Amino acid sequence: MNAITQRTAPFGAITVHNIVSALYALRTRFEDRLAARRTAAQLRALTVAQLDDIGLTPGDIDDIAAGRL
């Protein structure tokens, strides 16, 4: 006969896991925003003609950096 056993997490383990998960998510959001700012800065450094060569307009820069295009 097989018995089904349940083990509970040690006291505080779930809280620690939630804190670590929240910090990881915060770090990921920060890194994503930093990458978006860098992308926007690099695109803003291009001339209108250079942007046109790659099929963009100056108005597209914020959308590209935010991942909407």
Side-chain angles (χ1 to χ4, degrees), residues 3-63:
I4 297 175
T5 60
Q6 290 183 339
R7 291 187 176 184
T8 58
F11 182 74
I14 294 172
T15 302
V16 170
H17 171 31
N18 290 340
I19 291 170
V20 170
S21 294
L23 290 174
Y24 181 77
L26 184 64
R27 176 182 169 203
T28 301
R29 276 190 3 219
F30 176 76
E31 289 172 347
D32 290 347
R33 288 183 64 181
L34 184 60
R37 290 179 65 191
R38 286 181 180 157
T39 298
Q42 290 173 343
L43 288 172
R44 284 189 187 99
L46 299 176
T47 66
V48 174
Q50 290 171 321
L51 287 171
D52 188 49
D53 285 344
I54 58 174
L56 298 175
T57 65
D60 294 332
I61 292 174
D62 289 331
D63 289 335

